[in-house]
Amino acid sequence: MGQAYSSLSIEERTQISLLRSQDVKPAEIARQLGRSKSTISRELGRNRSAGKPYVAAAAQQLATRRRTAAKKGRRKLGPMLDSPLGRFVRSELRRALSPEQIAGRLKRMHGDDLSQRVSHETIYQAIYLVPR
């Protein structure tokens, strides 16, 4: 089966920061920490500002903020499909479009603007979270 997932700890993030400052490659960092190379690559990409070094404390804050927001249900579509994007999705659902069709339409309409796009899985999650 696979290995159980666990979030990176502040100690691991500190180690990543130290090793990156020594120009150690992500694959070697992953080996030393006993983590997947993709985990380290995602961590570096997700929590590093353009042109700035990876900082463990800042990465921990960002991760905590994302986790807290997810627990509160603050998503692109809003807790009750009440964001502007959520209202658009709701109107398209009323027109009997499927979540796949809506996601495709948003992709065509907004191209590179990821803030105005949402996956069909997110739409399904929002549908099932909204009280009937």
Side-chain angles (χ1 to χ4, degrees), residues 20-98:
R20 281 305 294 157
S21 71
Q22 298 170 359
D23 290 327
V24 176
K25 302 284 184 215
E28 177 59 21
I29 294 171
R31 190 190 65 70
Q32 288 186 28
L33 293 179
R35 291 286 191 155
S36 166
K37 179 183 170 192
S38 63
T39 298
I40 303 303
S41 295
R42 259 193 317 273
E43 175 68 14
L44 291 170
R46 183 183 288 155
N47 296 313
R48 178 178 42 194
S49 299
K52 295 184 180 178
Y54 176 86
V55 178
Q60 184 70 28
Q61 281 184 325
L62 288 170
T64 301
R65 194 175 304 143
R66 279 192 300 269
R67 191 170 35 255
T68 302
K71 286 180 182 178
K72 288 182 180 177
R74 290 187 303 172
R75 304 243 193 284
K76 283 184 180 180
L77 298 178
M80 301 289 288
L81 292 175
D82 59 357
S83 69
L85 185 56
R87 285 190 291 277
F88 174 80
V89 168
R90 192 172 28 187
S91 72
E92 296 299 287
L93 288 169
R94 285 188 188 124
R95 292 182 51 216
L97 270 67
S98 72

Side-chain angles (χ1 to χ4, degrees), residues 80 124 126-132:
M80 301 289 288
Y124 278 115
I127 292 169
Y128 291 113
L129 287 177
V130 174
R132 302 264 178 250

